[in-house]
Amino acid sequence: MTLDEILPDLRRQSADVRHAETGLWAASMLRERISAGQLAPGAKLSEEPLCEVLGVSRNTLREAFATLARERVVTRIPNRGVFVTRPTADDIREIYRVRRFLEPAALAWSIEPKTDALHAAIARARVARRAGSVPGMASANQDFHAAIVALTGSERLTQQMTQVLAEMRLVFHSMEDDPLFHAPYIDDNAVILDTFEAGERAAAAALLVDYLHGAEQQLLAAHARA
Amino acid sequence: MTLDEILPDLRRQSADVRHAETGLWAASMLRERISAGQLAPGAKLSEEPLCEVLGVSRNTLREAFATLARERVVTRIPNRGVFVTRPTADDIREIYRVRRFLEPAALAWSIEPKTDALHAAIARARVARRAGSVPGMASANQDFHAAIVALTGSERLTQQMTQVLAEMRLVFHSMEDDPLFHAPYIDDNAVILDTFEAGERAAAAALLVDYLHGAEQQLLAAHARA
DNA sequence: ACCACCCGATTGTTCAACAATATTTAGAAA
DNA sequence: TTTCTAAATATTGTTGAACAATCGGGTGGT
């Protein structure tokens, strides 16, 4: 998917922007498209046409770029331009390194955990599986893992997890989707949640670590193939 | 400490800046001053004088502001300006929430840990204590805890810890320093490191959690007084 | 085929202006 | 005098155009 194809689509939404947040608005606009895969990893984000389409000046667009670069959604190469980040194998390893600390820690040590969001995510994933919706399963699965970290009650940790999951989406986009990738993990999630609610936190954390190791291996293999 | 007093000092360093990274340079310039306490929490960072002094345009300065705002070093109030962040009691709680997950997890679960940096930090802290240097103790103590998270081998987690420690410095600056605050923690650090190297990771993590709870309470009390 | 070099295109940065919003000042009313 | 309202002022938000710096590709020579 190249840039030009989505320009008209973007232009449609550039109507009502308020003062004092144009840069953030532009950033969220681009973030959406990238997250949805309409702007694929590796795609170049040229300033000129994007300004034109978003209806913002180059200066404002660059503020948006700075935001996205800090989120690692976009990679800036000096004097070359900004590109949708194309995750490397090392990125995948690093992502799972982070997840293997954040998620088990949340399961093991969070105070007064509310598991509603976790149950809801699993339910949504099952609906999506029955409907055969790969994006639905992917999204629900991500919600589940975000909810795990949200158990910590920490805004900053949750935010970091959200960011890492956004990077995960880039990983998925940068290789052809195996339609069966997400399906088996749904039941694993359910088992982890059961174990957790049975009060066996350490066991739940250990299960999750295995789970994450498995997923990492699978993704690394797929990445090597691509 | 007001803005004007450090302007001449800042101007001195604004000589050799390269193309394609002026924004980041300006950000690091300000970050330094804030971290050193020369720009105290609550201080207003006006665009006009800062541009003048750093020798950059308002646009570039605003890119720097965006960077610092994302690091929470600086708080942006729309149409009002940017201010050095003044941490609240809730911020303190959140900071320790993050630390109580990140640091114990690193102790408990990191692979092939290299403890050289930890020993070095403790040694530096002891030298500083003998010299009666409060900033020296504070800095060495922060290095110790940064090194704990660095055990994870994760760039992102280490970066988040660095950021949280930068927020800690703001906390210290926003209340009068108790010269004895850091001293007792040095030996606690040593005990934790010994326990860790004895292979008793869970015990070391537990000690650290207690330690962090204690420090949080102490800071919250001091914050309430101020 | 290989290399140095120039040219065009794009990014990096500045400047000056205007729009939008806050703050301050001044004046009117009580 | 005090208080409230409203215009004047200052500061931030955003734009557009200009120029400098850098990169990539093409050109020509060997």
Side-chain angles (χ1 to χ4, degrees):
Chain A
M1 169 91 49
T2 148
L3 190 56
D4 312 298
E5 302 173 39
I6 68 156
L7 294 194
D9 186 21
L10 259 181
R11 173 167 319 194
R12 221 164 289 142
Q13 295 189 37
S14 57
D16 55 341
V17 204
R18 299 199 293 304
H19 193 63
E21 44 188 81
T22 318
L24 281 88
W25 171 84
S28 72
M29 228 64 222
L30 291 172
R31 191 167 26 228
E32 261 176 44
R33 306 297 153 148
I34 293 170
S35 167
Q38 296 177 13
L39 288 166
K44 170 159 193 185
L45 271 33
S46 299
E47 298 188 347
E48 190 83 44
L50 271 181
C51 290
E52 155 66 15
V53 158
L54 290 170
V56 303
S57 74
R58 273 182 68 211
N59 285 314
T60 313
L61 179 65
R62 292 176 118 264
E63 240 188 80
F65 280 166
T67 302
L68 296 174
R70 189 153 259 288
E71 294 172 11
R72 311 180 104 106
V73 170
V74 126
T75 302
R76 193 167 218 156
I77 306 179
N79 296 310
R80 293 276 312 278
V82 327
F83 304 81
V84 179
T85 300
R86 190 203 303 275
T88 66
D90 269 342
D91 286 328
I92 296 178
R93 278 185 279 268
E94 164 72 2
I95 287 171
Y96 275 93
R97 208 174 289 131
V98 171
R99 294 186 62 176
R100 272 197 305 272
F101 281 93
L102 243 40
E103 301 191 47
L107 286 185
W109 301 323
S110 57
I111 327 272
E112 54 167 308
K114 305 194 200 312
T115 54
D116 296 359
L118 293 166
H119 284 291
I122 289 182
R124 240 174 308 144
R126 288 192 161 131
V127 170
R129 179 168 55 183
R130 265 196 300 279
S133 159
V134 175
M137 283 191 287
S139 156
N141 188 37
Q142 295 218 343
D143 291 346
F144 179 80
H145 291 273
I148 285 181
V149 175
L151 290 174
T152 62
S154 161
E155 188 202 318
R156 283 162 181 75
L157 292 178
T158 305
Q159 193 175 306
Q160 168 140 43
M161 184 64 183
T162 302
Q163 201 169 296
V164 165
L165 288 175
E167 291 189 70
M168 287 291 310
R169 284 194 287 277
L170 288 178
V171 172
F172 286 131
H173 289 143
S174 61
M175 52 200 207
E176 64 273 21
D177 259 348
D178 175 357
L180 296 176
F181 178 82
H182 300 283
Y185 290 117
I186 299 176
D187 295 319
D188 292 346
N189 289 340
V191 171
I192 289 170
L193 178 52
D194 285 346
T195 310
F196 178 74
E197 290 193 309
E200 314 204 0
R201 293 184 169 219
L207 280 176
L208 183 50
V209 169
D210 286 347
Y211 170 117
L212 291 172
H213 264 119
E216 177 184 10
Q217 289 317 118
Q218 208 177 336
L219 281 184
L220 281 174
H223 185 271
R225 263 197 310 280
Chain B
M1 170 94 45
T2 148
L3 190 57
D4 312 297
E5 304 174 35
I6 67 155
L7 293 195
D9 186 22
L10 259 181
R11 181 179 316 232
R12 220 163 290 143
Q13 297 189 35
S14 57
D16 54 341
V17 203
R18 302 200 291 303
H19 193 64
E21 43 190 81
T22 318
L24 280 86
W25 172 84
S28 73
M29 229 62 221
L30 292 172
R31 190 167 27 227
E32 263 177 40
R33 306 297 153 147
I34 293 170
S35 167
Q38 296 176 14
L39 288 167
K44 171 160 191 184
L45 270 34
S46 298
E47 298 188 346
E48 188 88 43
L50 270 181
C51 290
E52 154 68 15
V53 158
L54 290 170
V56 303
S57 74
R58 276 182 65 212
N59 284 315
T60 310
L61 180 64
R62 292 175 118 265
E63 239 188 82
F65 280 164
T67 302
L68 296 174
R70 187 154 260 286
E71 294 173 10
R72 299 176 187 269
V73 170
V74 126
T75 303
R76 192 167 219 157
I77 305 179
N79 296 311
R80 293 276 312 277
V82 327
F83 305 81
V84 180
T85 301
R86 190 202 303 277
T88 66
D90 268 341
D91 287 329
I92 296 178
R93 279 185 278 268
E94 164 73 2
I95 287 172
Y96 275 93
R97 207 174 289 130
V98 171
R99 294 186 62 177
R100 273 198 304 271
F101 281 93
L102 243 39
E103 301 191 46
L107 286 185
W109 301 323
S110 56
I111 328 273
E112 53 166 312
K114 306 194 198 314
T115 54
D116 297 358
L118 294 165
H119 284 292
I122 289 182
R124 240 173 308 141
R126 288 193 159 131
V127 169
R129 178 167 57 184
R130 265 196 299 282
S133 159
V134 175
M137 282 191 288
S139 157
N141 189 37
Q142 295 218 342
D143 290 347
F144 179 80
H145 290 274
I148 286 180
V149 174
L151 290 174
T152 61
S154 161
E155 188 203 317
R156 283 162 180 75
L157 292 178
T158 305
Q159 193 174 306
Q160 168 145 43
M161 185 63 183
T162 302
Q163 201 168 297
V164 165
L165 288 174
E167 290 189 69
M168 287 290 310
R169 286 194 286 278
L170 289 178
V171 172
F172 286 131
H173 289 143
S174 62
M175 53 199 206
E176 65 272 22
D177 258 348
D178 177 358
L180 296 175
F181 178 83
H182 301 284
Y185 290 117
I186 299 176
D187 296 318
D188 291 346
N189 289 340
V191 171
I192 289 170
L193 179 52
D194 285 346
T195 310
F196 179 74
E197 290 193 308
E200 314 204 359
R201 293 186 168 216
L207 279 175
L208 183 50
V209 169
D210 285 347
Y211 169 118
L212 290 172
H213 264 118
E216 176 185 12
Q217 289 316 118
Q218 208 178 334
L219 282 183
L220 281 174
H223 184 271
R225 265 198 309 280

